[in-house]
Amino acid sequence: MSQIVRAFQPEVDQNTCIKCGNCQTYCPEGTVMLTEEGVVFDYRYCKGCGVCANECPVKAIKMRREE
Amino acid sequence: MGIIRMLEGNEAAAWGAKLARAEVVPAYPITPQTELISTIASFIANGEMKAQYIKVEGEHTAMAAAIGASAAGARVFTASASQGIVFMEEALWMPPGMRLPIVMCMVNRAMAPIGGLRPDHNDSLLQRDTGWIQFYCENSQEILDTVIQAYKVGEDKRVYLPVAVCYDGYFASATATPTSIPDQKEVDDYLPPYKHEMYNLMPGEFRTIRGFPQNIAKARYEVQKATEKAKGVIEEVDKSYGEIFGRYYDGALEEYACDGIEAVFMTMGSMTGTARDVIDEIQAEGKKVGLIKMRCFRPFPTEELRKLAKKYKVIGIVDRNTSYGSASGSGIVAMEVARALYSLDDRPLLLNFHVGLGGSDVTMRQIRYIADKVLDAYQTGKAEDETDWVELKDLGEVM
Amino acid sequence: MEVNKLFDEYYEKSLFQGGSTCCPGCGGPMFWRMALEAIGSNSIIYGDGPCAGCAIRNIKLPTFGIHFSFAADGATGIVAALNAKGRNDVTVISAAGDGATGDISFGKISAAAERNENMIQICIDNEAYMNTGIQKSGLTPYGAWTTTTPQGKEAPKKRIPMIIAQHRVPYVATISVAYPRDLKAKITKAKSISGFKYLHTVMPCPTGWRFDPAKSVEVVRLGVETWAWPLYEVENGVLRLTLKPKQRPIEDYLKAQARFRHLNKEQIDYVQQEVNNERQRLLDFDGKSVIT
């Protein structure tokens, strides 16, 4: 599997997160998962579209520019 | 033991599909194929044939449904003609590449415009590059037998290619001739149920060959190789079919009354029957001209033809088609023959005749004319015309 | 790594493999992820053609397709083969884009509806030929910019769901990826009905509609809230609005997408009037037969 090129990657502030699961529901690729320990991302397949951050009702997900 | 009935070509094809136990028949009516599909519809209505008859809204869909059904594991039969074949051309390219052994009757009819409802071979010959195997049949018996053989050839795992069974509209499709109908039990033994080793669309057992090949040339060469292998399989099937049902068609090429003869002409389709009669007559008159019938146009029988070419000094090719602006104004078959024989050191003289265009009758008089021209060329060692539009010649009274 | 293992286990169970070749924020994989949960594993997916096909490649079910001019017809063959084999348990899904559904294969879908083929036909509508580089289709809405309508499309969008409903098929519904629960409920209902079922889903396209990929869901939610994309179903001819949101001005939806950027006040008013008329028509027919 080739490396996905993306400009931004999502990061979650687990303290703000209310575990509603919107990010998991709307992620186009299924690369967001809500676990007991909070939200985790699969950076192997995430394209950095930012849908998860946009759909988060409490703005717990931020898109950070990748180096 | 089979029974003998007077069957029209279209009915014979329907019998072939029924005996082969075709499971899905997507079809759209077009003259002169209509009787074929209405016969199948009545077989199904009577309960004689168990098949899903899809009454589609056009030929493009007919072939597409055939592709879907064949990939999903059903034995498929369909039929079309002329404008219908060309309308489905986009779909016709799919089964060879997808390796789906669909059998289709192409009931030849001239293409519009300057055509009519009657036959010439341009509609099916136009599909020669698609990868379909093409048989050209002479009469009802051959149509019935070839439909069954077509499944045997196409479904052979060395081949896995679609097969077109072509025959002339009206002259073959609507002419009733005595036809021996094989016993269902014997056909069942000969043709086991369809099972494709490369495909399975059932959930949990999914297998397919589709996708984007890394090497496109290699993927295409696979299809080319399959057509090459089909030549041997066609010979095999003709032999094994003959052993059971007692009728042989000499594989791809048939020589008729060619013993000790060095000048021949070559025909395709229903005109062969007329040509046989003419050959009998003129040989009785002492004229030494023989006949070759081309039964299988794709894969083109290159090797067989080269073998025959060594025996003959002159070959006249009778083309029931036109290829406007082609090399020497030749017909399609003549061009193929020329390419096949070009690499021989000792090449026979080639003559080309256009007859029966747009479905006009190929008369005994015209065939006689062709035989005479072939004989002339044999005696003089040169051809008068490279390409001869026989119908434009005044041959006197029509026979 | 722990997280990777977690995802690998999830992909193993899921019917959709992440990492499709679709654009970031594409509604295609989003739709299939949601839909496949309702479709279930005992299904065959038929369909091909560029944008809708990109996501289809990542579906872990038997998939088969020919070309985008072959909507519904190959599936007809598959249904026939299943009937011939006596396999009535398998669901056949036939997917096509808006170009196939509205333009080149329109007749095929109409014919499959007329024959009442036992399959679920889904139109995944991103409102233009996106894979070939954003060209206008029959389902491109009025005013939208595409590379072949540089000044905006002159004609309105074809109303395919209503046209299919007039074929008197048992089930027609519109769906949106912004409302996953409604989407899954409608697919589940379609699965339980025998005959031809038609579903029409919006597929947000950041590339062709020209908005930030992050707003994918937001934009199509606006579509529903402004009544540009009303959610309804037509069961045995009877219309039912499955969602009656408080109407927002159409400008909210149009302004969110740069493909409508050039529209002037007059044009926006025209679109608003059209939407209002359609909304009123739907409300009038709610609970009644729409078959003429």
Side-chain angles (χ1 to χ4, degrees):
Chain A
M1 189 64 68
S2 52
Q3 183 64 43
I4 281 181
V5 180
R6 71 184 154 234
F8 298 92
Q9 69 171 45
E11 274 179 359
V12 66
D13 176 1
Q14 305 288 13
N15 296 326
T16 320
C17 173
I18 54 167
K19 297 192 176 172
C20 68
N22 266 8
C23 46
Q24 175 176 283
T25 305
Y26 290 113
C27 172
E29 303 286 338
T31 56
V32 187
M33 199 187 289
L34 183 63
T35 68
E36 292 294 328
E37 289 81 44
V39 170
V40 290
F41 303 96
D42 185 355
Y43 293 116
R44 294 172 300 174
Y45 297 128
C46 167
K47 293 173 183 165
C49 66
V51 166
C52 52
N54 199 62
E55 294 310 309
C56 178
V58 292
K59 300 288 159 221
I61 300 174
K62 294 272 177 303
M63 299 304 288
R64 186 177 62 80
R65 182 168 278 283
E66 278 196 16
E67 269 89 60
Chain B
M1 273 300 283
I3 48 163
I4 291 180
R5 277 203 204 173
M6 289 298 282
L7 290 186
E8 295 176 8
N10 278 336
E11 291 174 316
W15 271 94
K18 180 179 124 159
L19 289 166
R21 295 195 188 277
E23 295 166 285
V24 175
V25 184
Y28 185 77
I30 181 169
T31 302
Q33 152 266 36
T34 40
E35 214 165 31
L36 200 180
I37 58 166
S38 57
T39 306
I40 287 183
S42 60
F43 281 156
I44 294 170
N46 297 342
E48 292 173 57
M49 184 176 176
K50 267 201 167 69
Q52 305 287 319
Y53 180 18
I54 315 174
K55 290 160 277 294
V56 292
E57 78 288 2
E59 287 90 354
H60 194 272
T61 302
M63 187 42 60
I67 292 166
S70 184
R75 182 172 283 158
V76 183
F77 179 82
T78 183
S80 192
S82 187
Q83 310 297 117
I85 295 171
V86 178
F87 183 42
M88 67 164 70
E89 172 155 7
E90 184 193 12
L92 281 173
W93 281 85
M94 309 297 171
M98 291 176 169
R99 311 296 296 277
L100 295 171
I102 296 161
V103 171
M104 163 152 103
C105 280
M106 295 191 181
V107 188
N108 290 109
R109 167 184 144 186
M111 290 296 303
I114 351 176
L117 297 174
R118 297 192 296 165
D120 67 28
H121 295 155
N122 263 111
D123 54 352
S124 55
L125 285 176
L126 202 55
Q127 314 309 325
R128 67 191 183 276
D129 302 337
T130 54
W132 282 66
I133 292 171
Q134 288 193 353
F135 287 105
Y136 285 82
C137 301
E138 192 181 334
N139 54 36
S140 301
Q141 184 69 66
E142 188 177 3
I143 294 166
L144 190 154
D145 292 336
T146 307
V147 168
I148 297 169
Q149 290 186 5
Y151 284 107
K152 190 78 173 171
V153 173
E155 291 173 8
D156 190 295
K157 63 182 172 192
R158 292 166 288 178
V159 180
Y160 279 146
L161 285 174
V163 185
V165 178
C166 314
Y167 54 92
D168 294 338
Y170 300 103
F171 298 125
S173 79
T175 307
T177 47
T179 309
S180 166
I181 299 171
D183 188 57
Q184 180 70 61
K185 172 91 185 34
E186 283 183 334
V187 178
D188 287 344
D189 290 343
Y190 182 68
L191 191 67
Y194 167 59
K195 201 165 168 36
H196 202 305
E197 286 190 359
M198 298 180 190
Y199 279 97
N200 192 338
L201 291 194
M202 292 309 130
E205 306 161 51
F206 182 47
R207 198 161 63 241
T208 183
I209 60 163
R210 289 190 69 245
F212 292 98
Q214 292 293 313
N215 186 335
I216 292 167
K218 196 160 164 266
R220 291 206 172 176
Y221 186 61
E222 287 294 317
V223 181
Q224 167 64 19
K225 263 195 341 213
T227 61
E228 293 293 330
K229 282 187 190 145
K231 293 180 188 175
V233 176
I234 289 166
E235 297 279 339
E236 263 176 45
V237 165
D238 186 45
K239 205 169 283 169
S240 60
Y241 190 86
E243 278 160 15
I244 296 168
F245 302 99
R247 286 180 295 278
Y248 296 87
Y249 294 97
D250 294 357
L253 292 173
E254 181 199 338
E255 288 174 286
Y256 181 74
C258 289
D259 282 344
I261 274 173
E262 291 187 317
V264 293
F265 63 92
M266 193 158 102
T267 58
M268 219 159 79
S270 63
M271 64 169 126
T272 313
T274 316
R276 287 181 206 271
D277 278 2
V278 173
I279 292 286
D280 291 349
E281 279 182 21
I282 61 173
Q283 287 195 354
E285 294 162 15
K287 291 178 179 171
K288 299 191 85 180
V289 181
L291 173 69
I292 299 175
K293 168 182 160 188
M294 177 165 272
R295 178 169 179 253
C296 178
F297 182 74
R298 279 286 181 272
F300 194 81
T302 314
E303 295 78 13
E304 292 91 325
L305 198 64
R306 283 181 183 165
K307 217 179 286 167
L308 298 186
K310 290 196 180 112
K311 295 195 284 181
Y312 304 124
K313 296 277 182 292
V314 180
I315 301 180
I317 297 115
V318 187
D319 262 306
R320 195 174 203 151
N321 62 74
T322 43
S323 176
Y324 299 125
S326 65
S328 303
S330 287
I332 294 165
V333 183
M335 282 192 281
E336 294 263 348
V337 172
R339 171 63 189 95
L341 301 185
Y342 185 78
S343 47
L344 295 181
D345 293 332
D346 196 12
R347 292 190 286 272
L349 196 58
L350 293 185
L351 279 74
N352 186 203
F353 303 93
H354 284 294
V355 294
L357 300 178
S360 52
D361 200 6
V362 182
T363 61
M364 293 182 83
R365 188 58 169 266
Q366 288 169 353
I367 304 263
R368 238 170 206 279
Y369 168 86
I370 290 166
D372 286 343
K373 285 281 167 188
V374 167
L375 207 54
D376 273 356
Y378 176 63
Q379 280 154 0
T380 60
K382 60 180 197 293
E384 213 175 291
D385 301 310
E386 257 189 304
T387 304
D388 192 340
W389 289 59
V390 178
E391 288 171 271
L392 304 184
K393 299 274 158 67
D394 183 11
L395 302 181
E397 211 176 297
V398 176
M399 259 176 78
Chain C
M1 229 176 77
E2 188 66 19
V3 174
N4 286 356
K5 207 167 142 256
L6 206 61
F7 275 101
D8 288 341
E9 279 167 13
Y10 164 71
Y11 297 140
E12 191 65 37
K13 277 181 282 177
S14 164
L15 292 174
F16 191 82
Q17 171 66 48
S20 70
T21 51
C22 305
C23 302
C26 174
M30 203 185 290
F31 166 74
W32 282 112
R33 271 192 61 230
M34 295 170 183
L36 284 166
E37 284 179 33
I39 289 168
S41 58
N42 197 21
S43 313
I44 300 173
I45 313 280
Y46 172 83
D48 206 17
C51 269
C54 269
I56 284 179
R57 271 179 239 139
N58 284 40
I59 294 174
K60 296 192 287 182
L61 280 177
T63 56
F64 188 77
I66 307 175
H67 196 252
F68 97 120
S69 50
F70 292 86
D73 49 10
T76 298
I78 294 172
V79 169
L82 290 172
N83 286 342
K85 307 266 169 221
R87 289 289 300 263
N88 302 323
D89 55 315
V90 182
T91 307
V92 178
I93 310 279
S94 167
D98 55 291
T101 307
D103 295 347
I104 199 166
S105 285
F106 180 56
K108 302 208 166 198
I109 289 166
S110 168
E114 184 262 333
R115 293 192 299 265
N116 202 20
E117 298 288 351
N118 186 20
M119 61 194 199
I120 302 176
Q121 178 69 36
I122 303 177
C123 173
I124 304 166
D125 183 2
N126 56 14
E127 302 193 321
Y129 295 93
M130 294 310 185
N131 195 275
T132 45
I134 321 169
Q135 290 85 19
K136 168 254 158 189
S137 84
L139 299 195
T140 303
Y142 167 80
W145 164 92
T146 66
T147 56
T148 50
T149 54
Q151 293 178 308
K153 193 191 170 198
E154 301 87 353
K157 184 182 174 90
K158 270 196 203 180
R159 293 221 170 94
I160 304 286
M162 282 302 178
I163 296 170
I164 302 294
Q166 295 300 338
H167 288 67
R168 301 167 190 226
V169 297
Y171 190 70
V172 171
T174 60
I175 48 188
S176 168
V177 284
Y179 297 85
R181 205 165 296 168
D182 176 75
L183 182 150
K184 285 178 203 167
K186 282 171 179 167
I187 292 176
T188 309
K189 188 182 239 181
K191 260 184 77 174
S192 70
I193 298 168
S194 141
F196 190 83
K197 289 83 62 177
Y198 179 79
L199 299 173
H200 197 106
T201 182
V202 66
M203 170 177 165
C205 177
T207 314
W209 297 4
R210 307 174 84 197
F211 60 81
D212 174 4
K215 308 240 182 241
S216 236
V217 178
E218 190 183 319
V219 166
V220 290
R221 190 180 291 124
L222 278 170
V224 174
E225 288 172 352
T226 57
W227 286 72
W229 195 276
L231 294 179
Y232 59 82
E233 60 183 13
V234 182
E235 203 178 344
N236 295 321
V238 177
L239 178 92
R240 188 173 75 86
L241 281 160
T242 48
L243 198 74
K244 290 181 228 178
K246 191 168 166 289
Q247 191 182 10
R248 292 177 61 160
I250 194 69
E251 210 170 345
D252 293 358
Y253 178 62
L254 302 178
K255 282 272 143 63
Q257 306 163 57
R259 63 171 169 158
F260 294 116
R261 182 168 52 190
H262 57 280
L263 293 189
N264 59 30
K265 173 89 178 47
E266 230 168 60
Q267 287 170 311
I268 293 172
D269 286 347
Y270 168 73
V271 177
Q272 184 67 66
Q273 197 49 52
E274 287 288 293
V275 168
N276 290 351
N277 292 346
E278 174 67 1
R279 174 174 174 270
Q280 197 50 53
R281 219 172 0 246
L282 289 170
L283 287 170
D284 289 347
F285 277 104
D286 192 16
K288 301 188 190 93
S289 172
V290 289
I291 304 296
T292 50

